[in-house]
Amino acid sequence: MPVMQYREALNQAMREEMQRDERVFLLGEEVGAYNGAYKVSRGLLAEFGPQRVLDTPIAELGFTGLAVGAAMAGLRPIVEVMTFNFSILALDQVVNGAAKMLYMSGGQFGVPMVLRGPGGSAHQLAAQHSQSLEAWYCHVPGLKVVMPSTPADAKGLLKSAIRDDNPVVFIESEVLYGMKGEVPEGEYTIPLGVAEIKRPGKDVTVIAHSKMLHVALQAANELEAEGVDAEVIDPRTLRPLDTETLLQSVKKTNRAVIVEEGWSFCGVGAQIVDILQQQAFDYLDAPILRVTGADVPTPYNKTLEHMAFPDAQRVKQAVLRVLYKA
Amino acid sequence: MKSGSTARTVANTTDANGGEMYASSSLEARARRLDPSLLKDLLENMLLIRRFEEKAAELYALGKIGGFCHLYIGQEAVGVGAISSLGPDDYILCSYRDHGQALARGMDPRVLMAELCGKVSGCSKGKGGSMHLFDKRLGFYGGHAIVGAHLPLAAGTAFASRYLKQPRVTVCFFGDAAVNIGSFHESLNLAQLWKLPVVFICENNEFGMGTPIEKTASILNLHERACAYNMAHAAVDGMDVLAVRESVAEAVERARNESLPTLIEARTYRYMGHSMSDPTHGIYRTKAELEEHRRRDPVKRFISALEAIGVVTQATVDEADRRIRDVVEQAVVFADQSPEPSPEELSTDVYLP
């Protein structure tokens, strides 16, 4: 199986879907001549031409709304936001437009579009460029929210997102773009709404998405030395959430830790806690713990920034606490 | 072209600066060049909107129509004139003041009234309401209730026409208040930059809710904003259905043949409040001002012009009016008798399978 970077897997997914369906097109800042701010769209302009790979003005509201209208008229746009921080400028078109069009038109107008780009923190990008906004999008009925953590998932999930008839918010990770992994060639799709057990275990369930999956896996590997067998699950799609896979795991391990980079208050993990306590209450042997980003704007200073986000040590501590070993 | 400072008064037929654009003689002159059956259709469309909206106001007062309800009375010439210049495959997008355009496009008044009453037989199954009218078969792409937010959508449907090499033009209606929001500027820039076949029609009724345009816009000749984007633009008397038709037809041809956008400012006036919860006068405008505008009523002016050239008589107009009132009554009966959406409708149409 070929080994490639996460960004290359995304590129392959877009290339294959654009070859497969002429209605699919890509627009966004720097996606064409510059080959993408993070080189995810490398070569697409050369292959598909300026009619299908469009460099836009810095006008997120305008070009995202244009994509919503184009989708209503039968096209299948992929909107690249340079980072999800800038998607806030387009939020009205996504929340008031894309997410609600089907409902308020009585089922007449679906909006098959993908809004994609990197989210989360990177390296000292400071407050306005380092945030995890997935909880905002997860809150809205009508949207699907996908966050791949590996190159293979990136390809399989993006292909499914592009084929989905609903608006899909597809949040990548700036720091995972260079990550390498095996990626199946050609037709390879992963259905939206299906979690994956990334590491089977029996003692505790650790739920983590996007780059926090790798923090959770590191913690799980270190815990093994301490005799703790953690099961690590990546929901991959946050909405719709694969609650069944999460519940089955928690019913087996009786303990759960949820890791996310985003803020704690009203975060994705809070929703998962709600589901688990409602549907697996009798199986729980300890309160569910969450490891999250600090409840502050992201600081620039390297040391402070490191303190603001979950790391393996903090995940380990939480796991040991739900096992009453710490 | 008029200076910005006098834009508020250009709406008067008696305005000395208005020139030919606002003279009723031009309405007659235009009418003479058109087929009488078309003229009668336009008049009946305007009358239908007038009577429908009057009935909607009654039903709102009775509590049969809920929520926000923005009526089109006074602005009929804009929707009717503009839409009469479109082909059957063209796209229409509107703001929340969308009843008039839906009727002008040929939406069955029964289906529209049912939607206003929240019934399942409505165009959006009773789930959209007054502000969210949709009909895919009519090319009616909504009813959108965030000021200015549908202008990018219109750029998008126009983009789709260009992308798919289809000769479908998009017409996008919005109010004067929308010209101050960012989406207006982002959409105009994209439309001109990417040569999109779209006609932006600003219905300048002089007020953004209760605030007069002079208090919100730095340039009162709103169509001149197109200059910033090197876009074709025009102002038109929005109380003259044929002037609107002619102006929009020219823009539609530009869109269809050259794939270029246009911004048209139709100067009009709404007689009712911003919505049904807003009084017609007393807070932000006087009764005298309202009455002054009523004197150039687009329906009455058109009737006078058609009488003058012998296309209609008072008797034929009265007959048409009776027939239209009956159509509106039938729409109310249909809405009354239509079922409520089933409880299952609460959770359908959230996602496509």
Side-chain angles (χ1 to χ4, degrees), chain A residues 83-86 88 125-131 297-298:
Chain A
T83 80
F84 259 86
N85 304 289
F86 314 150
I88 298 173
L125 301 182
Q128 292 181 336
H129 282 69
S130 314
Q131 51 195 334
T298 304

Side-chain angles (χ1 to χ4, degrees), chain B residues 267-281:
Chain B
R267 287 169 179 161
T268 183
Y269 202 77
R270 66 169 152 77
Y271 297 172
M272 309 297 286
H274 165 72
S275 74
M276 282 302 296
S277 51
D278 172 36
T280 56
H281 59 84

Side-chain angles (χ1 to χ4, degrees), chain A residues 121 124 126 293-311 314:
Chain A
S121 69
Q124 288 190 273
D295 197 21
V296 297
T298 304
Y300 164 73
N301 174 273
K302 200 170 185 173
T303 307
L304 293 180
E305 185 190 40
H306 182 73
M307 288 167 62
F309 296 114
D311 58 16
R314 286 170 59 197

Side-chain angles (χ1 to χ4, degrees), chain A residues 64-90:
Chain A
T64 304
L66 184 146
V68 175
M72 289 172 73
L75 300 183
R76 302 183 79 86
I78 304 170
V79 177
E80 176 172 313
V81 285
M82 194 180 288
T83 80
F84 259 86
N85 304 289
F86 314 150
S87 76
I88 298 173
L89 276 304

Side-chain angles (χ1 to χ4, degrees), chain A residues 18 21-25 27 50-52 54-75 92-93 96-97 99-111 140-144 164-167 239-240, chain B residues 91 93 115 123-125 127-129 132-137 139-146 148-157 159-166 168 182-183 186-187 189-190 193-194 196 345-353:
Chain A
M18 288 178 77
D21 186 345
E22 289 199 342
R23 298 169 301 170
V24 178
F25 70 101
L27 73 168
Q51 299 299 318
R52 296 183 70 194
L54 294 105
D55 283 318
T56 64
I58 300 177
E60 283 82 5
L61 178 72
F63 67 71
T64 304
L66 184 146
V68 175
M72 289 172 73
L75 300 183
D92 176 62
Q93 292 294 339
N96 273 318
K100 297 178 172 64
M101 210 64 76
L102 184 69
Y103 197 85
M104 61 188 189
S105 67
Q108 294 180 77
F109 289 97
V111 179
V140 182
L143 299 180
K144 294 186 178 182
D164 202 283
D165 285 332
N166 299 284
R239 185 181 182 117
Chain B
Y91 298 109
L93 290 96
E115 186 61 35
C123 60
S124 306
K125 299 202 299 196
K127 294 161 84 164
H132 304 301
L133 306 176
F134 289 85
D135 192 324
K136 199 172 210 168
R137 283 165 304 171
F140 205 83
Y141 276 46
H144 304 274
I146 306 295
H150 61 299
L151 277 77
L153 303 184
T157 55
F159 176 86
S161 295
R162 207 198 64 179
Y163 188 97
L164 297 167
K165 299 184 171 60
Q166 294 172 335
R168 302 170 79 171
S183 58
E186 294 189 19
S187 302
N189 183 50
L190 280 166
L193 187 69
W194 288 356
L196 303 179
E345 285 293 342
L346 174 66
S347 48
T348 61
D349 304 322
V350 181
Y351 291 98
L352 284 166

Side-chain angles (χ1 to χ4, degrees), chain B residues 221-265:
Chain B
N221 278 321
L222 303 181
H223 64 102
E224 290 180 357
R225 301 226 176 177
C227 300
Y229 304 104
N230 195 27
M231 184 185 292
H233 59 98
V236 65
D237 179 0
M239 306 303 254
D240 177 340
V241 64
L242 298 185
V244 173
R245 178 182 153 88
E246 196 170 289
S247 180
V248 174
E250 189 182 311
V252 166
E253 286 314 297
R254 181 179 299 114
R256 210 179 310 277
N257 300 333
E258 300 170 62
S259 194
L260 283 172
T262 305
L263 173 64
I264 291 175
E265 176 189 354

